[in-house]
Amino acid sequence: MEQKNSRPETGRAAALLPILVFLVLFLGAGFVSGDFYSMPAILAFLIALFVAFLQDRKRDFNEKLHLIAKGVGDDNIITMCLIFLAAGAFSGAVTAAGGADSTVNLGLSILPSGVAVAGLFIIGCFISVSMGTSMGTIAALTPIAVGIAQKTEYPMALCVGAVMCGAMFGDNLSMISDTTIAAVKTQGCEMKDKFRENFFIVLPAAVITVVIFLILAGGGDFTLEEELSYNVWKVLPYLVVLIGALAGFNVFLVLIGGTVLSLIVGVATGSILPADMFKVVAQGPAMDGTGGIMGMYDITVISIVVACIVSLVKEMGGIQFILSFIKKRVKGKRGGELGIASLALLVDLCTANNTVAIVMAGPIAKEISEEFEISPRRSASLLDMFTSVGQGLIPYGAQLLSAAGLATSVSGITMTPFDIIPYCFYPMLMAVSGLICILFVKNRKQA
């Protein structure tokens, strides 16, 4: 206690050195190589943790180990990691059962041909909310978007931009998205409360996005040559998880129930061999370790290491320094909310990964929300929204790079992220909606 009280009330800027080291390594490697994923995030974080251990010589190594153990052992950190793994299990099982393909085909089957581009956005919203992954949505819909562009003569970037917008909608709102899990658990609120708060903030942005796409591409027509086969039973697990989470059931029970239901459907329809049931849960549908529970290992380990870094940074006064810096420049709840939004956006711009950004910024946002009496569901919504804003617009983010790469591969015409960004209306409007909410919608402190 004495050590804690010995820190200046304004905190210490030097305590933020580990975070600075991470950013320099991660961004530096990206700028030098031209690939912002050349430096594995976990390696950069481990080096930053080593730097944190070297600081604060008043404590010995064992004391620092005790501090990080307490940080990692926090209820929210442990729960978040377990939910990541449960979400990976569900994703592996439902994808192997054919749920992803059936969901895409079902959406396209009910898509009116006259509203092709707006329909791509709407279907993208549905798929990303159901699947909980923006990358999966982009991979599933981008080839279809290219086909629609070629048949309607609309700009390819416009069609791919509609897919990007839909993907970021679910990335921000889905109950099984790793960003939602991280935001909820770092802020200490219920998923259903965060969803409701978040949904009504971004709903105007989604509606306006539909209108814009209707105006830009109204009257277009297309015909998909391939047969769109789907099985409603394969879509059922997604609906069960979505409805269960919204109804307020325990998220572990919902995800476990969804996983079991996916396996039953998969075996019953012949999509999963009984002998492969446990493999697809653990390793994903390809059974190569890239999906399922194993596919969530990276973000789980990163969350643990970041918790270690934040524990040491907080003890040395780094978090207090950020809070003092913000307090001197903002006033009241609106100022605190603007601080959380700015922090979330800035960290995402630096990390190019919105889940990592939330894990990093979450503890600081929690302190800000408590200082300014901001409800946990509001702070979680702001964290998730503004990291998604950044992720949907940065040209070096995985989402835009993937969309541009897939479009180029399918069409044979070179496309870059900069071609798509002008059509990423939803992330832009999401930022506007968030700012309007902060400035004009009263925030009530949650009991």
Side-chain angles (χ1 to χ4, degrees):
M1 252 338 234
E2 293 177 2
Q3 290 171 328
K4 189 174 181 179
N5 291 334
S6 66
R7 292 200 309 260
E9 288 187 5
T10 55
R12 294 192 178 106
L16 298 173
L17 179 62
I19 297 176
L20 178 63
V21 168
F22 165 77
L23 294 177
V24 169
L25 287 173
F26 190 77
L27 291 178
F31 282 118
V32 170
S33 66
D35 177 9
F36 279 86
Y37 295 89
S38 61
M39 164 69 82
I42 183 60
L43 177 59
F45 277 123
L46 284 172
I47 295 172
L49 178 59
F50 177 72
V51 171
F53 265 111
L54 292 179
Q55 285 187 291
D56 194 6
R57 297 182 180 178
K58 294 179 182 179
R59 295 178 176 82
D60 62 29
F61 184 76
N62 287 330
E63 285 182 282
K64 293 172 184 176
L65 279 178
H66 178 67
L67 283 172
I68 66 172
K70 286 177 61 179
V72 173
D74 180 84
D75 289 353
N76 288 324
I77 298 296
I78 294 297
T79 304
M80 177 173 64
C81 291
L82 291 175
I83 292 175
F84 280 148
L85 298 179
F90 170 70
S91 177
V94 74
T95 304
D101 292 336
S102 279
T103 302
V104 172
N105 290 344
L106 174 61
L108 288 170
S109 296
I110 61 177
L111 170 66
S113 61
V115 291
V117 178
L120 275 174
F121 168 65
I122 294 170
I123 291 173
C125 292
F126 173 70
I127 293 171
S128 58
V129 168
S130 301
M131 294 172 61
T133 164
S134 55
M135 295 296 289
T137 303
I138 290 167
L141 285 181
T142 297
I144 296 169
V146 171
I148 291 174
Q150 292 172 336
K151 291 174 182 177
T152 58
E153 296 185 354
Y154 286 130
M156 192 182 304
L158 172 65
C159 296
V160 177
V163 173
M164 268 294 302
C165 290
M168 297 317 299
F169 179 88
D171 196 63
N172 170 227
L173 283 175
S174 175
M175 296 292 185
I176 57 173
S177 168
D178 46 7
T179 58
T180 298
I181 294 167
V184 165
K185 289 305 168 185
T186 57
Q187 302 311 295
C189 66
E190 295 294 328
M191 282 196 181
K192 60 184 177 67
D193 294 330
K194 183 264 182 189
F195 178 89
R196 291 167 184 164
E197 179 92 11
N198 206 159
F199 179 76
F200 287 110
I201 295 174
V202 302
L203 180 59
V207 172
I208 295 173
T209 300
V210 171
V211 172
I212 291 174
F213 283 131
L214 285 174
I215 293 172
L216 292 178
D221 201 359
F222 75 100
T223 302
L224 288 172
E225 296 174 358
E226 65 272 22
E227 183 181 351
L228 297 173
S229 60
Y230 62 87
N231 186 323
V232 175
W233 290 106
K234 294 181 179 181
V235 181
L236 184 62
Y238 284 129
L239 298 177
V240 168
V241 168
L242 178 62
I243 295 171
L246 283 174
F249 289 108
N250 181 281
V251 66
F252 284 115
L253 295 178
V254 169
L255 288 171
I256 291 171
T259 302
V260 172
L261 180 58
S262 298
L263 292 174
I264 293 172
V265 170
V267 171
T269 58
S271 299
I272 300 176
L273 296 175
D276 293 334
M277 286 195 303
F278 298 115
K279 289 182 180 179
V280 298
V281 170
Q283 303 179 36
M287 291 184 283
D288 58 359
T290 58
I293 294 174
M294 293 177 67
M296 300 299 282
Y297 280 1
D298 279 356
I299 189 58
T300 302
V301 174
I302 285 173
S303 299
I304 292 172
V305 175
V306 169
C308 295
I309 295 172
V310 169
S311 297
L312 294 177
V313 168
K314 183 176 182 178
E315 191 65 24
M316 290 185 291
I319 304 298
Q320 185 59 44
F321 173 80
I322 294 174
L323 290 175
S324 299
F325 180 85
I326 291 174
K327 283 173 65 177
K328 290 177 182 178
R329 289 159 178 79
V330 302
K331 294 181 180 179
K333 290 183 180 180
R334 288 190 178 91
E337 290 179 5
L338 284 171
I340 292 173
S342 302
L343 175 69
L345 181 59
L346 177 62
V347 177
D348 185 73
L349 295 178
C350 292
T351 60
N353 185 308
N354 45 344
T355 306
V356 172
I358 291 171
V359 171
M360 286 183 67
I364 301 172
K366 179 66 173 172
E367 297 276 356
I368 295 173
S369 67
E370 291 177 349
E371 178 72 28
F372 293 96
E373 296 188 332
I374 300 167
S375 69
R377 61 178 179 266
R378 177 68 72 92
S379 60
S381 297
L382 293 174
L383 264 180
D384 206 348
M385 274 193 299
F386 282 90
T387 53
S388 291
V389 166
Q391 199 64 26
L393 294 173
I394 53 176
Y396 50 89
Q399 284 80 356
L400 274 166
L401 288 172
S402 176
L406 275 170
T408 299
S409 176
V410 172
S411 67
I413 301 172
T414 301
M415 176 173 286
T416 70
F418 294 100
D419 297 322
I420 305 171
I421 289 174
Y423 300 104
C424 292
F425 302 115
Y426 179 71
M428 300 176 195
L429 290 168
M430 183 162 51
V432 174
S433 293
L435 289 174
I436 290 174
C437 180
I438 290 171
L439 296 175
F440 302 108
V441 179
K442 185 178 179 181
N443 169 44
R444 295 169 300 191
K445 174 68 177 177
Q446 185 175 344

